[in-house]
Amino acid sequence: MKKAIFYHAGCPVCVSAEQQVVESIDKDRYDIEIVHLGEDTGRGRINEAEQAGIESVPAILLDGAAFHINFGASMADVKGDA
Amino acid sequence: MKKAIFYHAGCPVCVSAEQQVVESIDKDRYDIEIVHLGEDTGRGRINEAEQAGIESVPAILLDGAAFHINFGASMADVKGDA
């Protein structure tokens, strides 16, 4: 199984994108994880996302490759230090 | 079957995104069409894309909803009138 990780921050644009993008992915070939970075108080998942090349949310990591969807909140906004 | 249309302009970022994003979609539930807007000299597909809410490429239209991937070329660049 390949890994797909969908990162979002709970905003309406993220939730809408999550539902439609995740719905389209082939669950027979991809193990899908959904990560709400706005609830990542320990920042472990934020750090992981940044290291994977995620610069804004919503975004999806497909087999290690980062794809930013539309433009939602910057990583600085998610951290609250923008 | 739902319809997924991937719009690109032939640039390297588009081609890379196309291969990985299209690969992840469930072909049992989505009929996938790939449209190269850079070769759309009649502009019919460009007009169709814009009416669907596509503002930049690469982008994917999932069941009528536009999702812009990363940021590649603006629609103005594709048309050559930027």
Side-chain angles (χ1 to χ4, degrees), chain B residues 1-59:
Chain B
M1 291 285 276
K2 293 182 178 181
K3 181 83 179 175
I5 308 177
F6 188 94
Y7 294 102
H8 72 103
C11 51
V13 66
C14 288
V15 172
S16 170
E18 179 204 315
Q19 291 169 348
Q20 296 187 68
V21 173
V22 169
E23 199 272 336
S24 74
I25 294 176
D26 188 345
K27 279 80 176 171
D28 290 336
R29 292 184 297 120
Y30 282 83
D31 175 30
I32 302 175
E33 181 183 14
I34 295 167
V35 177
H36 187 332
L37 292 182
E39 295 177 344
D40 179 45
T41 51
R43 295 202 177 179
R45 302 308 301 263
I46 290 178
N47 290 339
E48 164 205 289
E50 285 191 314
Q51 283 165 19
I54 303 292
E55 295 177 5
S56 60
V57 288

Side-chain angles (χ1 to χ4, degrees), chain A residues 2-60:
Chain A
K2 293 183 179 180
K3 181 82 179 175
I5 308 177
F6 188 93
Y7 294 102
H8 72 103
C11 49
V13 66
C14 289
V15 172
S16 171
E18 178 204 315
Q19 291 170 348
Q20 296 186 68
V21 173
V22 169
E23 199 272 337
S24 74
I25 293 176
D26 188 344
K27 278 79 175 173
D28 291 336
R29 293 184 296 118
Y30 282 83
D31 175 30
I32 303 176
E33 181 184 12
I34 295 166
V35 177
H36 187 332
L37 292 181
E39 295 177 344
D40 179 44
T41 51
R43 296 204 175 177
R45 303 308 301 265
I46 291 178
N47 289 339
E48 166 205 288
E50 285 190 314
Q51 283 165 20
I54 304 292
E55 295 177 6
S56 61
V57 287
I60 191 162

